[in-house]
Amino acid sequence: MEKNILADHARWPNLEDSIFKVGGEAKKAIEEKGREKIINSTIGALIDDDGKLIAFDSVYDTLKNMDKRSIASYGAIEGDKDFLEGVISKCFGNYRPEGFIRSISTVGGTGAVRHVFWSLLGEGDYVICPNWYWPAYMTMCEEFNRKFKTYEFLDKDFNFNIEAFKLALDYALDKRDRVVCVFNSPANNPTGFTIDDSMWDKIIDIIKDRAKEGKYITILLDVAYIEFAGDGSQKKFFEKFSYLPENILTTVAYSMSKSYTAYGLRAGACIIVSKKKEIADSVFNSMKHSNRATWSNITHVAMTLLTEIEKDKEKSKSYKDELEKYRIKLQKRADAFMEASKEVGLITLPYFGGFFISIPCDRSEEIAEKLKENDIYIVANKQGLRFAVCAVSEDKCRISPKLIKDTIDFINK
């Protein structure tokens, strides 16, 4: 590689995020034509029917009433004690797994993913992930020189592809001694798919079978959308990660971005679950060191928000009522899209909850480009199209499937 002032490992081309790019185009179209004429399904955040970002009153009224010195102050490197305890309870609900559990504050759920890739893998080790995935996983693997291997997410019957997962896991462990298995469920980004409880039993059995001496398997559960994936019972699968063998570690990437409509506050946690206390503690200590080395500490006010809301009965009720209101609103939008898709014959992947619905198709970039002519802005990826029901009104969710189906047919005629 040609000598340069930039270190070799840090030399990357200019990163143009495709999601932000098409989102910017949608914003420009809205300015030119008016919001009512544009369907902007690019935004990965809750948007109301008037096109405005939803920010929970229960969260931001709490913020407004905080002492400014509390807002301004630093938090502990590992995270405030009340936050670390509160985020475990919030994440697991009534289904806390048994074992030794520690949590560490992170900059959003992204920070938790970062810590897992850094602390539990060495250079050249594998992250395995379904082929419908959040692109930042691959970006982080590139940054840390970890191998990123995908496998076919769903089988021909639209069930989790257990055979493809098994092959990917065997490949990774044949090449190396450490692997991280990423599961973005429930309410997968970008599909809305959720792995069911009986399938989790099969996945865990396969992992346990391959956890031979000298092999270390980390399970990473990215649950960024979990609060929009059901009425609470969707958390029951957490119990399955109780007392797994010592060389299997369970980690959970928890985000306040979606759950508390706190995208810009950049707060979350990595929750560590192990059969052995010494292992949970050692992973915690490693991630605490990474906190100090990477961002020193996370936003104090975000930790305080979670703590105050969860500890105060009145605030907690207001928050839960608001969350349920928008969860139902999101479900109605998704129902409208899925019902209309069925009517017009648009094939979608199964949707169980969350912000997105995906349409498998070839030539997705051409289709997305053509859809702009009909004032629909949608995200294309290698496997198909991602439609953000979180950002589109129910009425527009109902009319979008026909426009998408017609465009797919036109491009592929």
Side-chain angles (χ1 to χ4, degrees):
M1 188 175 289
E2 184 183 344
K3 285 289 184 182
N4 190 291
I5 195 168
L6 197 63
D8 289 349
H9 71 271
R11 294 173 67 176
W12 301 103
N14 180 40
L15 177 65
E16 184 178 42
D17 188 286
S18 60
I19 297 174
F20 283 92
K21 179 178 180 291
V22 70
E25 293 172 349
K27 185 178 179 182
K28 185 177 179 181
I30 290 169
E31 291 171 353
E32 293 175 353
K33 298 181 180 181
R35 183 182 58 80
E36 289 303 320
K37 294 183 178 180
I38 304 298
I39 298 175
N40 180 8
S41 76
T42 68
I43 304 169
L46 276 176
I47 305 294
D48 68 18
D49 292 346
D50 295 321
K52 296 177 181 176
L53 184 71
I54 293 169
F56 289 173
D57 290 337
S58 54
V59 173
Y60 292 96
D61 287 347
T62 301
L63 176 60
K64 288 175 187 176
N65 291 319
M66 278 187 198
D67 183 275
K68 63 182 180 182
R69 293 169 184 80
S70 175
I71 294 172
S73 61
Y74 286 122
I77 293 170
E78 68 275 21
D80 296 347
K81 183 175 181 293
D82 287 345
F83 170 79
L84 298 180
E85 293 173 354
V87 79
I88 293 171
S89 296
K90 175 64 179 174
C91 179
F92 293 140
N94 296 322
Y95 304 104
R96 179 174 176 144
E98 295 183 34
F100 294 95
I101 301 176
R102 301 293 304 270
S103 65
I104 186 92
S105 64
T106 59
V107 175
T110 306
V113 176
R114 182 261 174 222
H115 280 0
V116 171
F117 289 2
W118 179 257
S119 294
L120 282 309
L121 295 174
E123 290 193 3
D125 289 335
Y126 283 85
V127 170
I128 64 170
C129 180
N131 62 345
W132 291 84
Y133 62 88
W134 182 45
Y137 296 145
M138 185 171 68
T139 304
M140 281 185 267
C141 285
E142 291 173 342
E143 182 82 358
F144 303 137
N145 196 20
R146 275 55 171 163
K147 300 289 187 180
F148 187 68
K149 182 174 180 58
T150 62
Y151 55 90
E152 196 68 37
F153 187 17
L154 304 177
D155 63 19
K156 61 182 177 61
D157 297 317
F158 286 158
N159 296 314
F160 178 79
N161 197 328
I162 192 74
E163 292 302 319
F165 165 70
K166 189 190 303 182
L167 288 173
L169 181 59
D170 287 343
Y171 178 91
L173 289 173
D174 180 62
K175 301 292 183 183
R176 312 285 291 193
D177 292 332
R178 297 176 180 275
V179 62
V180 168
C181 307
V182 176
F183 300 100
N184 181 202
S185 178
N188 169 269
N189 171 8
T191 69
F193 185 85
T194 294
I195 297 171
D196 68 33
D197 285 2
S198 62
M199 184 59 73
W200 274 120
D201 291 333
K202 296 176 183 177
I203 292 169
I204 292 170
D205 282 346
I206 287 170
I207 291 173
K208 287 166 70 175
D209 181 66
R210 280 140 178 88
K212 307 298 185 185
E213 186 176 351
K215 300 291 184 179
Y216 300 92
I217 302 174
T218 297
I219 299 165
L220 172 57
L221 307 173
D222 184 347
V223 298
Y225 300 90
I226 194 165
E227 302 299 347
F228 291 94
D231 59 5
S233 60
Q234 73 273 19
K235 298 183 178 186
K236 186 172 176 57
F237 82 109
F238 282 130
E239 294 178 329
K240 297 180 181 294
F241 300 91
S242 300
Y243 292 127
L244 295 179
E246 290 181 16
N247 54 342
I248 300 174
L249 183 76
T250 302
T251 57
V252 184
Y254 184 83
S255 172
M256 288 183 65
S257 297
K258 287 78 180 177
S259 302
Y260 290 84
T261 61
Y263 315 96
L265 288 179
R266 307 310 305 135
C270 186
I271 302 172
I272 304 151
V273 184
S274 177
K275 179 181 181 180
K276 193 172 181 180
K277 181 179 185 300
E278 290 79 6
I279 293 173
D281 288 346
S282 67
V283 176
F284 172 87
N285 290 334
S286 172
M287 292 183 177
K288 180 178 178 180
H289 186 276
S290 288
N291 269 11
R292 187 58 167 164
T294 310
W295 46 68
S296 185
N297 54 77
I298 72 161
T299 312
H300 193 195
V301 66
M303 292 190 284
T304 306
L305 275 172
L306 185 145
T307 300
E308 286 199 10
I309 290 170
E310 295 304 316
K311 282 192 169 185
D312 185 297
K313 287 185 179 180
E314 187 175 334
K315 290 178 182 177
S316 178
K317 184 181 184 306
S318 296
Y319 165 76
K320 288 176 182 176
D321 289 346
E322 209 166 1
L323 177 64
E324 182 65 2
K325 170 187 171 182
Y326 286 110
R327 186 187 70 80
I328 291 171
K329 186 178 188 68
L330 180 66
Q331 187 63 53
K332 286 181 177 179
R333 291 176 177 180
D335 288 345
F337 188 94
M338 295 298 280
E339 288 165 7
S341 294
K342 188 174 182 180
E343 289 169 5
V344 301
L346 177 67
I347 296 173
T348 70
L349 296 187
Y351 173 86
F352 295 91
F355 283 18
F356 309 109
I357 292 173
S358 281
I359 302 109
C361 61
D362 296 324
R363 303 170 72 182
S364 59
E365 291 188 4
E366 292 177 59
I367 293 164
E369 196 64 32
K370 186 68 177 176
L371 278 166
K372 294 174 188 176
E373 296 178 13
N374 289 321
D375 296 322
I376 298 183
Y377 291 79
I378 194 167
V379 173
N381 56 43
K382 291 179 182 179
Q383 313 301 326
L385 303 168
R386 186 197 82 174
F387 189 92
V389 289
C390 58
V392 180
S393 69
E394 186 177 338
D395 288 343
K396 288 181 178 178
C397 281
R398 198 172 296 280
I399 65 173
S400 294
K402 185 178 188 312
L403 296 170
I404 295 169
K405 177 69 163 58
D406 289 347
T407 304
I408 291 174
D409 291 345
F410 176 83
I411 292 294
N412 291 302
K413 66 182 179 181

